[in-house]
Amino acid sequence: MRSKKISLVVVPLLITACSSNNKTLVQDVYNNQYDCSYDWKTELCEEENNSATSSLGGHSSGYYGGSRYIGPQYYQGNRKVNFQGRKVEPSSNLSVGKPFVSQVTKNHSKSSPIRGGFGRSGFSFGG
């Protein structure tokens, strides 16, 4: 009998935790390829252009004397992506200005954002 009560409490908590997971996607903006590559891998950095920004909600680039670069999409609060079967985290944060924010994952991306899980900051159920 007791295990049924625990199940009724645990299941809604798990569903709430999974459904309230951040759905906001973020892409850092860099002044140059070097800064982007320093944070991420060179393969994960792309040159900013109008087609990239239009797929991110129409945010205009506002060029200031050169090309800027954009890092991979990640979920807000979890700067980790999956790239070629490996988890990649940036080594620092050299991004500038406001990041691009979106609710839609890019289809043509080389990496995929990793949702936060029940790791260090997750739930702990004990007896």
Side-chain angles (χ1 to χ4, degrees):
M1 202 64 148
R2 185 176 182 180
S3 64
K4 288 182 183 179
K5 288 182 181 179
I6 291 173
S7 296
L8 293 175
V9 172
V10 172
V11 171
L13 283 174
L14 291 173
I15 291 171
T16 302
C18 291
S19 64
S20 66
N21 219 348
N22 287 335
K23 295 179 182 175
T24 302
L25 293 161
V26 179
Q27 278 185 284
D28 296 327
V29 178
Y30 297 88
N31 281 331
N32 53 59
Q33 186 179 21
Y34 177 81
D35 288 348
C36 184
S37 297
Y38 188 83
D39 278 2
W40 303 94
K41 294 182 177 290
T42 302
E43 299 87 3
L44 295 176
C45 298
E46 60 184 76
E47 191 171 3
E48 180 183 44
N49 60 36
N50 289 334
S51 64
T53 56
S54 65
S55 69
L56 296 168
H59 188 286
S60 62
S61 60
Y63 294 110
Y64 294 107
S67 295
R68 295 191 315 175
Y69 282 78
I70 303 169
Q73 278 187 319
Y74 60 86
Y75 287 105
Q76 188 172 21
N78 187 28
R79 290 183 81 210
K80 298 174 187 169
V81 299
N82 195 3
F83 176 66
Q84 298 181 340
R86 293 182 178 174
K87 180 172 64 171
V88 177
E89 297 181 61
S91 57
S92 63
N93 191 351
L94 299 176
S95 62
V96 296
K98 292 184 180 180
F100 292 123
V101 177
S102 175
Q103 298 291 322
V104 180
T105 305
K106 292 168 48 175
N107 292 333
H108 64 279
S109 182
K110 296 177 184 177
S111 64
S112 60
I114 297 174
R115 287 193 184 272
F118 298 109
R120 285 177 257 155
S121 61
F123 293 99
S124 175
F125 297 107

